Amino acid sequence: ASPPASGPGTNHAIDDPLTSERTRAWREDRFGMFIHFGVYSHLEGEYTRPDGTVCRDAEWIKRQCRIPQAEYERFAAEFNPAEFDAEAIARTAKEAGQRYIVITSKHHDGYALWPTKVNRWNLRDHSSFDKNRDILAELKAATERHGIKLGFYYSIWDWNDPDAVHPSTFGRYKERMYAQLKELVDNYQPSVFWFDGEWSTDRPSNPWLTQDGEALEAYVRTLDPKIVVNNRVGKRRLVDGDTGTPEQTIPAEPVSGQLWESCMTLNGSWGYAKWDNRWKSPADLTRNLISIAGRGGNYLLNVGPDARGRIPAESVDRLRAMGSWLVRNRQADAVHGAGTPGIVAEPDWGSVSRKGDTLYASVYRWPGAGGSLTLKALSGFDVRSARVLGSTQRVAVSRSGDTVTLTPSGAPTNDIATVIAIGVAPPA
Ligand code: FHN
């Protein structure tokens, strides 16, 4: 297929991501698992310098701690994630309610997690790992078994390939990168490409932000037009690629006309860092997911497996807590396949999402006895019913002007978020 006609400001000859069949499942998934894993995981966040001082970082450790190339290559040669268990990872994601996984096929250090034929800087050719194993193939098989989609993070910025920074050799780097992307599509049929590092400042005039980013997006579409591509392929238009990628934040007012996905760490690091104990609470994480769904976005929550390839227990525990909230009382209905309510504003006591004729009001702060909750209506609608999921208690509904008042008659069903399902109908 020839690349579609393009120019600055042109939205390639592709259909609108907001309504396209290509993004349909992604728009309903709402929750995915990000995995940062690579040579840096072998260091587990700590590098001891020759003078005995310790430098701490995570997936940026090579650069931030100025590890000499030869030494980083020695660490890679030792890397042996023998306990990487794709089945356990896919099961953890499934039980958490995550519907897709995006793993770092190559992070900024340029190391490929699959046996690329493009160079030897990869887990098969430069490690102590079993030469017969291919963890991306294992993950592909495991995700398929569990009905989860698999996508790849791929860093455009490459610290390992000197050709990437010099204009005279850049074309050679680009050829290798294109060849790697084709390998990934041919070998593993990913559902998502999650690019990163297009913002690199290594070159004063960064070609990825303009014509090369545009060509890259078009190239991926020729490899497989079904792949969902994130926006970090350039800054040519408001919406490059299919999806916006706010990082470590949940936009209060998402950019309109753009699909989006907040990516976030469970502690403070993407790659495994044994010193990082800044774990977020299960309540905050679950409420983040609920609020994101109510604002029409997805939540891509990161795990960083350790040197042996194991997801830390603290991460698994948090994901389990989120999954058990979702299955309890079918509260997942407030998240999976749900989106912005449109007809009511976001309340300060929680979040509201909508699926069809049902509004799901997830209450983070339940009112005291006899108290009530108010919703501000943005358009006319009738309330047909209101009930607390997992409870038989009555919820009285009254209306005055654009204020809808909900008065529950009993206690909340849990500490994280109690969901009131409100049946609505447009006025006749
Ligand atoms: O530099 C990376 C970082 O290591 C991590 O991969 C995050 C994930 O979104 N992206 C970059 C920073 O924007």
Side-chain angles (χ1 to χ4, degrees), residues 2-21:
S2 54
S6 58
T10 316
N11 196 343
H12 299 297
I14 55 163
D15 42 1
D16 183 353
L18 286 179
T19 50
S20 165
E21 179 58 24

Side-chain angles (χ1 to χ4, degrees), residues 34 36 59-60 107-108 153 194 196 199 232 247 263 270:
F34 215 178
H36 274 67
E59 76 286 354
W60 275 69
H107 202 260
H108 306 333
Y153 169 109
W194 210 104
D196 200 1
W199 39 266
R232 298 193 187 182
E247 182 167 323
C263 58
W270 300 98

